[in-house]
Short mmCIF file of all heavy atoms in Angstrom, two decimals:
data_model
loop_
_atom_site.label_atom_id
_atom_site.label_comp_id
_atom_site.label_asym_id
_atom_site.label_seq_id
_atom_site.Cartn_x
_atom_site.Cartn_y
_atom_site.Cartn_z
N SER A 1 101.66 108.03 92.08
CA SER A 1 101.94 107.74 93.41
C SER A 1 103.16 108.46 93.94
O SER A 1 104.11 108.78 93.18
CB SER A 1 102.12 106.25 93.64
OG SER A 1 103.21 105.76 92.90
N ALA A 2 103.18 108.71 95.27
CA ALA A 2 104.31 109.35 95.91
C ALA A 2 104.32 109.13 97.36
O ALA A 2 103.27 108.88 98.00
CB ALA A 2 104.23 110.87 95.65
N ILE A 3 105.55 109.08 97.96
CA ILE A 3 105.74 109.07 99.40
C ILE A 3 106.66 110.20 99.71
O ILE A 3 107.59 110.51 98.99
CB ILE A 3 106.45 107.73 99.79
CG1 ILE A 3 105.64 106.56 99.36
CG2 ILE A 3 106.78 107.71 101.29
CD1 ILE A 3 106.40 105.21 99.50
N ARG A 4 106.33 110.93 100.74
CA ARG A 4 107.11 112.10 101.14
C ARG A 4 108.61 111.75 101.27
O ARG A 4 108.96 110.84 101.97
CB ARG A 4 106.64 112.72 102.45
CG ARG A 4 107.26 114.08 102.75
CD ARG A 4 106.99 114.49 104.16
NE ARG A 4 105.55 114.64 104.47
CZ ARG A 4 105.03 114.86 105.68
NH1 ARG A 4 105.87 114.99 106.77
NH2 ARG A 4 103.75 114.96 105.86
N GLY A 5 109.44 112.47 100.55
CA GLY A 5 110.86 112.31 100.57
C GLY A 5 111.34 111.16 99.77
O GLY A 5 112.60 110.92 99.65
N GLN A 6 110.51 110.53 98.95
CA GLN A 6 110.95 109.41 98.12
C GLN A 6 110.53 109.51 96.67
O GLN A 6 110.63 108.55 95.88
CB GLN A 6 110.38 108.10 98.72
CG GLN A 6 110.79 107.78 100.12
CD GLN A 6 110.33 106.46 100.67
OE1 GLN A 6 110.27 105.50 99.92
NE2 GLN A 6 109.98 106.44 101.90
N GLY A 7 110.11 110.72 96.24
CA GLY A 7 109.83 110.92 94.81
C GLY A 7 108.39 110.56 94.43
O GLY A 7 107.62 109.96 95.18
N ALA A 8 108.05 110.95 93.22
CA ALA A 8 106.72 110.69 92.66
C ALA A 8 106.88 109.97 91.33
O ALA A 8 107.86 110.13 90.61
CB ALA A 8 106.04 112.00 92.43
N PHE A 9 105.89 109.12 90.99
CA PHE A 9 105.96 108.28 89.85
C PHE A 9 104.60 108.16 89.18
O PHE A 9 103.56 108.32 89.74
CB PHE A 9 106.47 106.85 90.23
CG PHE A 9 107.77 106.86 90.90
CD1 PHE A 9 107.97 107.02 92.28
CD2 PHE A 9 108.96 106.70 90.16
CE1 PHE A 9 109.16 107.10 92.84
CE2 PHE A 9 110.17 106.73 90.73
CZ PHE A 9 110.34 106.92 92.06
N ILE A 10 104.66 107.85 87.89
CA ILE A 10 103.50 107.48 87.06
C ILE A 10 103.74 106.11 86.55
O ILE A 10 104.79 105.80 86.07
CB ILE A 10 103.21 108.51 85.93
CG1 ILE A 10 102.02 108.07 85.11
CG2 ILE A 10 104.47 108.62 85.02
CD1 ILE A 10 101.60 109.05 84.04
N THR A 11 102.71 105.24 86.69
CA THR A 11 102.79 103.86 86.26
C THR A 11 101.61 103.62 85.32
O THR A 11 100.44 103.74 85.70
CB THR A 11 102.71 102.88 87.39
OG1 THR A 11 103.80 103.14 88.33
CG2 THR A 11 102.90 101.42 86.85
N VAL A 12 101.87 103.24 84.08
CA VAL A 12 100.89 103.07 83.05
C VAL A 12 100.78 101.60 82.61
O VAL A 12 101.87 100.98 82.38
CB VAL A 12 101.13 103.97 81.83
CG1 VAL A 12 100.12 103.79 80.75
CG2 VAL A 12 101.16 105.41 82.28
N GLY A 13 99.59 101.02 82.60
CA GLY A 13 99.39 99.77 81.98
C GLY A 13 99.66 98.56 82.82
O GLY A 13 99.76 97.43 82.21
N ALA A 14 99.74 98.69 84.15
CA ALA A 14 100.01 97.48 84.97
C ALA A 14 98.91 96.48 84.77
O ALA A 14 99.19 95.23 84.64
CB ALA A 14 100.17 97.89 86.38
N LYS A 15 97.65 96.93 84.80
CA LYS A 15 96.55 96.00 84.69
C LYS A 15 96.37 95.56 83.21
O LYS A 15 95.64 94.54 82.95
CB LYS A 15 95.25 96.61 85.21
CG LYS A 15 95.25 96.87 86.65
CD LYS A 15 95.48 95.64 87.52
CE LYS A 15 95.68 95.87 88.95
NZ LYS A 15 96.04 94.67 89.71
N TRP A 16 96.97 96.26 82.29
CA TRP A 16 96.91 95.81 80.89
C TRP A 16 98.07 94.81 80.59
O TRP A 16 98.08 94.29 79.43
CB TRP A 16 97.14 97.04 79.99
CG TRP A 16 95.98 98.06 80.05
CD1 TRP A 16 94.74 97.86 80.52
CD2 TRP A 16 96.04 99.40 79.53
NE1 TRP A 16 93.99 98.99 80.43
CE2 TRP A 16 94.74 99.96 79.78
CE3 TRP A 16 96.97 100.20 78.91
CZ2 TRP A 16 94.44 101.32 79.46
CZ3 TRP A 16 96.70 101.48 78.56
CH2 TRP A 16 95.43 102.04 78.89
N GLY A 17 98.93 94.56 81.50
CA GLY A 17 99.98 93.61 81.32
C GLY A 17 101.26 94.12 80.76
O GLY A 17 102.21 93.32 80.50
N LEU A 18 101.44 95.48 80.71
CA LEU A 18 102.71 95.96 80.27
C LEU A 18 103.84 95.64 81.24
O LEU A 18 103.65 95.59 82.48
CB LEU A 18 102.58 97.56 80.14
CG LEU A 18 101.73 98.13 79.06
CD1 LEU A 18 101.85 99.58 78.98
CD2 LEU A 18 102.10 97.55 77.62
N GLU A 19 105.04 95.46 80.69
CA GLU A 19 106.19 95.16 81.46
C GLU A 19 105.94 93.98 82.40
O GLU A 19 106.34 94.04 83.60
CB GLU A 19 106.64 96.41 82.21
CG GLU A 19 106.84 97.64 81.46
CD GLU A 19 108.07 97.53 80.45
OE1 GLU A 19 108.94 96.61 80.65
OE2 GLU A 19 108.10 98.27 79.49
N GLY A 20 105.36 92.98 81.89
CA GLY A 20 105.09 91.77 82.68
C GLY A 20 104.12 91.95 83.81
O GLY A 20 104.13 91.24 84.82
N GLY A 21 103.21 92.93 83.62
CA GLY A 21 102.26 93.22 84.68
C GLY A 21 102.66 94.21 85.68
O GLY A 21 101.87 94.59 86.56
N LYS A 22 103.84 94.74 85.57
CA LYS A 22 104.33 95.77 86.47
C LYS A 22 104.01 97.18 85.97
O LYS A 22 104.03 98.13 86.76
CB LYS A 22 105.85 95.66 86.69
CG LYS A 22 106.32 94.37 87.39
CD LYS A 22 107.78 94.38 87.54
CE LYS A 22 108.24 93.07 88.25
NZ LYS A 22 109.75 93.09 88.47
N GLY A 23 103.67 97.30 84.72
CA GLY A 23 103.39 98.61 84.15
C GLY A 23 104.67 99.37 83.77
O GLY A 23 105.75 99.01 84.23
N ARG A 24 104.52 100.36 82.97
CA ARG A 24 105.64 101.27 82.63
C ARG A 24 105.74 102.39 83.61
O ARG A 24 104.86 103.23 83.66
CB ARG A 24 105.37 101.79 81.17
CG ARG A 24 106.61 102.58 80.70
CD ARG A 24 106.41 102.97 79.25
NE ARG A 24 105.31 103.91 79.06
CZ ARG A 24 104.21 103.60 78.36
NH1 ARG A 24 104.04 102.41 77.87
NH2 ARG A 24 103.24 104.47 78.28
N LYS A 25 106.75 102.29 84.44
CA LYS A 25 106.86 103.24 85.59
C LYS A 25 107.91 104.31 85.27
O LYS A 25 109.04 104.03 84.85
CB LYS A 25 107.31 102.48 86.81
CG LYS A 25 107.30 103.33 88.12
CD LYS A 25 107.59 102.44 89.29
CE LYS A 25 107.47 103.27 90.64
NZ LYS A 25 107.70 102.39 91.80
N THR A 26 107.51 105.60 85.40
CA THR A 26 108.42 106.69 85.09
C THR A 26 108.44 107.67 86.25
O THR A 26 107.37 108.00 86.85
CB THR A 26 107.89 107.45 83.85
OG1 THR A 26 107.75 106.51 82.80
CG2 THR A 26 108.81 108.55 83.47
N LYS A 27 109.59 108.16 86.66
CA LYS A 27 109.70 109.16 87.64
C LYS A 27 109.16 110.48 87.15
O LYS A 27 109.36 110.84 86.00
CB LYS A 27 111.18 109.31 88.14
CG LYS A 27 111.32 110.05 89.42
CD LYS A 27 112.82 110.02 89.88
CE LYS A 27 112.96 110.51 91.29
NZ LYS A 27 112.49 111.84 91.59
N LEU A 28 108.49 111.25 88.07
CA LEU A 28 107.98 112.55 87.72
C LEU A 28 108.92 113.59 88.18
O LEU A 28 109.56 113.45 89.28
CB LEU A 28 106.60 112.69 88.39
CG LEU A 28 105.51 111.75 87.88
CD1 LEU A 28 104.16 112.04 88.62
CD2 LEU A 28 105.30 111.87 86.36
N PRO A 29 109.00 114.74 87.42
CA PRO A 29 108.31 114.98 86.18
C PRO A 29 108.80 114.12 85.04
O PRO A 29 109.92 113.52 85.13
CB PRO A 29 108.53 116.43 85.94
CG PRO A 29 109.89 116.73 86.56
CD PRO A 29 109.87 115.86 87.79
N ILE A 30 107.99 113.99 84.04
CA ILE A 30 108.35 113.08 82.91
C ILE A 30 109.57 113.58 82.16
O ILE A 30 110.41 112.76 81.81
CB ILE A 30 107.15 113.03 81.89
CG1 ILE A 30 105.98 112.27 82.58
CG2 ILE A 30 107.58 112.29 80.63
CD1 ILE A 30 104.67 112.35 81.78
#
C-alpha cells in the first residue's frame, strides 16, 4: 500500500493474526 507523499509499505499476515492481527508491516524498499 502507498499514499502519494507518505511512503509505501508491505504488510504480511494481518489475516493470519500476526502482530495481534495488525500484520508485520515494513516500509519499502525492504
Side-chain angles (χ1 to χ4, degrees):
S1 62
I3 301 171
R4 189 192 301 174
Q6 298 184 39
F9 299 87
I10 179 174
T11 304
V12 178
K15 294 303 175 183
W16 294 344
L18 290 183
E19 306 295 338
K22 294 181 179 180
R24 186 174 64 247
K25 188 173 184 178
T26 305
K27 195 173 192 301
L28 297 179
I30 294 172

